């Protein structure tokens, strides 16, 4: 379970012990930062972290860079490849080898799938994957799990409903996989027929022990009473027929009226950005945790950086 | 079509490799994967669609002065023609004979059909797949993590 020198590329690389360790570290960091008068921890002072965003992603980059700054590390890098050597045709390997001369760690987002895995194999320093195309975004999954654990006090034994586009959403794929590593999980997949969870994934996770999987089209009473409702956006470009899109989309909107039927302690999560799949009248309800959820990205990313650099917290 | 008896008369290999029990119609795919279709100087006997007790019909290849010992090439044959046999002959003597097998990890053997996979970019990168199941064959790309079966599994030639 030693993280020093490892890379975080895919949720599949992590065992349930690894995940528990990361979430525990994030919790310690959160309490340490809240006790610190400056709200920062200068544990990683003197370290240089490269933030390589080959494709812009404001939220992920800001969250990572906030985590780096709060640890006292120096941040170098770029957002978008305009004006960089990448634009001149440099290979990813050469970029990685060059950056590894100055940096102690690379955090990267790249449009090609498997790019972060490749860099982790050639760079010789730890790499954190901040999203490789449609493939993986493990820190999102970890912050989702952290949010659930923080709000519910546990992960095992919970009922989690996932609502919306379950076919193309990599966030829900990774989260469903990660949850299946825990005990006595009940997953309710709520989506239109056209956007069901891929069969290979349902097959894979249903092989785990002590897991219960239900697939449904409706936001039923059971969905509303579950521990977590995880909502994702249904994207227009997935539908050739705009009318079909509007009909389906409106069937999966969570609003305050619908939430009247929810349990008091049901939490509503969303990876953001949200469009209209969660109505703004839910924002002020106690059930809404999607903004704090985004905020949880900072302690989780701080924890990962410290663990990979070999610090004890 | 030639009978098994005649076929033995046609080719008596002194030195090289015999690939037997190839599912009928797959021998040219194997030669292509071995890079031998472009090799103008190589003597090859390709015998197609002969009767086989095991397969009904089979292909058979006899390749002169070529010793198939690379695990990568064997992996390619195992994907194209599962169940086939490789015999190494030296001076008319059978040196070794074994059925092709698929290892748990296939390096430089397959090509990922995902156009957005880093393994298809202009990088110095070897394809790598993990075998998830053998019957039916199911593999996962080490890079893009996508799972492939049937037509999705493409040998890198
Ligand atoms: Zn791939």
């Amino acid at each position: 379970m030693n993280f020093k020198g490892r890379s975080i590329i895919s949720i599949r690389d992590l065992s349930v012990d690894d995940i528990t360790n990361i979430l525990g570290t994030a919790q310690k960091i959160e309490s340490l930062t809240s006790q610190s008068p400056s709200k920062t921890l200068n544990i990683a002072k003197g370290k240089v972290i490269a933030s390589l965003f080959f494709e812009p992603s404001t939220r992920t980059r800001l969250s990572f860079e906030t985590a780096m700054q709060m640890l006292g590390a120096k941040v170098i890098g770029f957002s978008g490849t305009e004006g960089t050597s990448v634009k001149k045709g440099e290979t990813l390997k050469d970029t990685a080898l060059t950056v590894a001369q100055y940096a102690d760690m690379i955090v990267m987002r790249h449009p090609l799938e498997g790019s972060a895995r490749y860099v982790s194999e050639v760079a010789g320093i730890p790499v954190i994957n901040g999203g490789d195309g449609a493939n993986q975004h493990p820190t999102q999954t970890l912050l989702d799990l952290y949010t659930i654990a923080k709000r519910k006090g546990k992960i095992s034994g919970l009922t989690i409903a996932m609502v919306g586009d379950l076919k193309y959403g990599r966030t829900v794929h990774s989260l469903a996989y990660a949850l299946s590593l825990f005990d006595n999980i009940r997953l309710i997949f709520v989506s239109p027929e056209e956007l069901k969870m891929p069969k290979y994934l349902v097959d894979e996770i249903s092989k785990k022990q002590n897991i219960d999987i239900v697939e449904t089209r409706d936001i039923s009473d059971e969905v509303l009473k579950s521990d977590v409702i995880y909502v994702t956006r249904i994207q227009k470009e997935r539908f050739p027929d705009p009318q079909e899109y509007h009909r389906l989309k409106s069937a999966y909107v969570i609003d305050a009226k619908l939430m009247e039927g929810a349990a008091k302690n049901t939490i509503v999560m969303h990876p953001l950005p949200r469009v209209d799949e969660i109505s703004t009248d839910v924002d002020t309800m106690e059930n809404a945790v999607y903004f704090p959820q985004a905020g949880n990205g900072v302690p989780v990313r701080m924890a990962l950086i410290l663990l990979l650099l070999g610090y004890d917290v | 079509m030639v009978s098994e008896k005649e076929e033995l008369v046609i080719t008596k290999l002194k030195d090289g490799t015999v690939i037997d029990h190839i599912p009928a119609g797959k021998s040219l795919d194997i030669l292509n994967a071995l890079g031998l279709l472009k090799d103008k100087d190589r003597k090859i006997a390709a015998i197609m669609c002969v009767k086989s007790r095991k397969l009904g019909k089979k292909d058979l290849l006899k390749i002169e002065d070529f010793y198939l010992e690379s695990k990568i090439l064997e992996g390619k044959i195992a994907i194209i023609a599962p169940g086939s046999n490789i015999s190494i002959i030296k001076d008319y003597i059978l040196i070794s004979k074994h059925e092709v097998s698929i290892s748990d990890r296939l390096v430089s053997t397959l090509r990922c059909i995902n156009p957005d996979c880093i393994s298809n970019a202009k990088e110095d990168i070897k394809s790598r797949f993990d075998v998830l199941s053998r019957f039916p064959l199911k593999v996962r790309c080490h890079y893009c993590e996508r799972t492939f079966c049937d037509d999705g599994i493409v040998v890198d030639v």
Side-chain angles (χ1 to χ4, degrees), chain A residues 113, chain B residues 112-114 117-120 129 141-146 148:
Chain A
E113 298 168 31
Chain B
C112 185
I113 59 163
N114 173 8
C117 179
I118 189 73
S119 69
N120 290 316
F129 287 79
C141 176
H142 168 71
Y143 290 100
C144 69
E145 300 184 34
R146 295 204 189 192
F148 301 102

Side-chain angles (χ1 to χ4, degrees), chain A residues 186-203:
Chain A
R186 182 170 166 84
L187 294 174
I188 311 175
F189 297 145
V190 191
S191 71
E193 194 60 32
E194 298 87 335
L195 296 175
K196 276 172 75 171
M197 193 61 97
K199 191 177 172 300
Y200 80 87
L201 191 65
V202 177
D203 287 350

Side-chain angles (χ1 to χ4, degrees), chain B residues 49-82:
Chain B
C49 272
V50 289
K51 271 187 199 150
S52 151
R53 243 168 283 135
K54 214 167 105 187
L55 299 169
K57 276 178 181 179
K58 67 169 183 181
D59 286 5
L60 186 143
L61 288 167
K62 300 194 177 190
I63 313 165
E64 199 174 73
D65 292 331
F66 177 90
Y67 302 100
L68 204 146
E69 278 149 349
S70 140
K71 273 278 154 204
I72 291 175
L73 292 180
E74 183 181 329
K76 292 184 182 183
I77 296 174
I79 305 284
I80 298 167

